[in-house]
Amino acid sequence: MRPFTYERAADVRSAVAVCAAGDAAYLGGGTNLVDLMRLGVATPAVLVDVTRLPFDRIEETEEGGLLIGAGVRNSDLAADSRVRRRHPMLAQAVVAGASGQIRNMATVAGNLLQRTRCAYFQDVTKPCNKREPGSGCPARRGEHRNLAVLGHSDACVATHPSDMAVPLAALGAVVHIEGPGGSRQVPMPGFHRLPGDRPERDTVLEPGELVTAVEVPPLAFGARSRYRKVRDRASFAFAVVSVAAALDVADGMVRDCRIALGGVAHVPWRAELAEAELCGGPATEAAFTRAAGLEMAQARPLERNAFKVPLAANVLVRTLIDLVEAR
Amino acid sequence: MSELKDTGFDDPVTVDVTLSVNGESRPVTVDTRETLLDTLREHLALTGAKKGCDHGQCGACTVLVDGRRVKSCLTLTVTLDDRRITTVEGLAAGDTLHPLQSAFIETDAFQCGYCTPGQLCSAVGMLAEVADGWPSAVTADVAGRPVLDDDEIRERMSGNLCRCGAYVNIVAAIRQVGA
């Protein structure tokens, strides 16, 4: 690991100033960054520890939403009674990720900013356009069973690994950011970006910008929501495919819905086509199947991950049926 | 093929920190790159926590920081002053074993023992999480209070691997203490 100097941020302004000067990284829980540093993938000269900044609370907003501090540990987010009651899919997604020990360490902002687990990205002896722009993408013809089927580019077929980000994208969460140029807010989806020809950029964050909070707007039917994750083993594994869905049903009709998919793209994938197809239509398996098919018709699977296309559609249909049958 | 990044020639950076380990104050000078696992084993002669994968995947290095279970292989020591660290060496009260330690012996919950310190620290932290009402991925109603059955124990302990396959008896030991 490259030697680095360690600084503990006293306030946001000084933290941003250090990071904006370059060759520095913010340290949250470190569960991904420390590992990437050990692998030689991340080589910052300065680590700015932001875990003692006052971003460790979950507060009510005036609009009735929740403002989740960037430094809130994943386990505290999932344990919060308001999150569990109002947005079960968010609590379920968080506890579906990693292990108990890692959730105790990992922060909300760090979870959003974690890097892909694509094997080529994590192996510095291999080319990777995300790690080393212009070096190539061996995954496209190599090991890509668990990589993207939607929104990928010639340059990169990586997936975003977060479970938590999937319901946040469905909920239209807003990322609060402080940077050298002041503060701004970026809604999800829109915070993470598709790879295009700049796969080294996972998000729209500019150099030195620091995530300070994630705001979850109120959703009246959020209590009728679910996160469903398919993985290669029963626990402690990244999603092959996952679905976060919230459904507002009355008299057999879908009044409103929010849907996002995980494990299928470089971003948590908001299923806008499926949502539009479902809203105002019947809450039936046939309608759900049609909507899921419409969403996944955009997929361009690679040679060895085509199974994800029907898998994602089936998991989406089953999740919606479960939500109709719930309560 | 791309070359390995040159990471070998910058000067190491050292920092003085004072750790609280098993109730004792332990001043130590560490390289900023050093993990808590290496500090415990190499500087403080506390070799209970084990290095299995060194990537946060096996759980053999699990210790408690401020009462919460964490992976010491992914925790930089320099971040930890003012934090209260408990290792497997700190679980017993003198010669009186922690109830989980006794239960592991009674139920034969280990074979080679390499993962055991991590299993014990993880189980201590996990039972506290259940007592606090935290949900898990197998909790049917995420808004309700979880009940610690065998499925809950298995899910909540999935961050600790046992290559000997003593899982059945590990679950039994934890059930004996936690149920």
Side-chain angles (χ1 to χ4, degrees), chain A residues 1-6 8 27 29-32 34-35 37-41 43 47 49 51-52 73 75-76 78-79 81 84-85 87-89 91-92 95-96 98-105 124-127 131-132 135 231 234-236, chain B residues 1-5 7 10-13 15 31-33 35 54-59 62 68-71 73-76 78-83 118 122 129 132-137 140-146 154-156 158-160:
Chain A
M1 193 189 296
R2 181 186 179 190
F4 59 86
T5 57
Y6 170 82
R8 188 170 294 158
L27 175 68
T31 57
N32 189 204
V34 170
D35 196 36
M37 289 168 67
R38 183 173 287 142
L39 294 168
V41 174
T43 57
L47 268 194
D49 183 349
T51 57
R52 301 204 190 193
R73 306 289 168 167
S75 46
D76 289 314
S81 60
R84 291 157 69 181
R85 225 171 32 244
H87 306 293
M89 66 177 170
Q92 288 166 346
V95 294
S99 67
Q101 292 98 316
I102 287 175
R103 291 192 295 272
N104 279 342
M105 303 167 72
V124 295
T125 68
K126 300 288 194 299
R131 192 184 66 249
E132 212 172 303
S135 62
R231 41 185 159 177
S235 184
F236 200 7
Chain B
M1 194 162 98
S2 62
E3 288 179 352
L4 277 167
K5 280 211 173 79
T7 59
D10 297 344
D11 289 333
V13 180
V15 176
D31 189 308
T32 54
R33 295 171 292 180
T35 61
D54 216 19
H55 288 287
Q57 296 172 4
C58 77
T62 302
R68 291 189 172 194
R69 52 180 175 156
V70 302
K71 309 245 165 160
C73 77
L74 292 178
T75 305
L76 296 172
V78 69
T79 65
L80 288 172
D81 51 0
D82 308 330
R83 302 295 194 223
S122 186
E129 293 164 7
D132 284 343
W134 292 11
S136 85
D141 175 11
V142 78
R145 210 176 166 77
R154 288 191 195 97
E155 163 59 27
R156 290 168 189 267
S158 71
N160 291 82

Side-chain angles (χ1 to χ4, degrees), chain A residues 58-68 82 86 176 215-218:
Chain A
I58 303 175
E59 293 165 351
E60 302 271 352
T61 65
E62 283 178 18
E63 295 75 32
L66 294 172
L67 187 68
I68 303 164
R82 294 162 296 185
R86 297 179 201 172
H176 291 227
E215 182 179 346
V216 177

Side-chain angles (χ1 to χ4, degrees), chain B residues 4-122:
Chain B
L4 277 167
K5 280 211 173 79
D6 171 16
T7 59
F9 297 100
D10 297 344
D11 289 333
V13 180
T14 56
V15 176
D16 294 331
V17 293
T18 300
L19 304 176
S20 165
V21 185
N22 300 329
E24 283 182 42
S25 181
R26 304 291 298 264
V28 60
T29 302
V30 296
D31 189 308
T32 54
R33 295 171 292 180
E34 197 168 308
T35 61
L36 174 59
L37 177 61
D38 286 334
T39 303
L40 291 170
R41 295 182 56 84
E42 308 297 334
H43 290 299
L44 302 179
L46 291 168
T47 53
K50 297 292 187 285
K51 186 175 285 189
C53 68
D54 216 19
H55 288 287
Q57 296 172 4
C58 77
C61 70
T62 302
V63 300
L64 302 162
V65 174
D66 290 343
R68 291 189 172 194
R69 52 180 175 156
V70 302
K71 309 245 165 160
S72 64
C73 77
L74 292 178
T75 305
L76 296 172
T77 306
V78 69
T79 65
L80 288 172
D81 51 0
D82 308 330
R83 302 295 194 223
R84 194 164 41 86
I85 298 154
T86 306
T87 68
V88 71
E89 290 90 343
L91 293 184
D95 288 336
T96 307
L97 293 180
H98 186 284
L100 276 163
Q101 291 175 309
S102 300
F104 268 59
I105 293 169
E106 285 165 29
T107 62
D108 195 17
F110 49 89
Q111 184 174 310
C112 82
Y114 195 83
C115 73
T116 310
Q119 300 279 1
L120 286 166
C121 287
S122 186

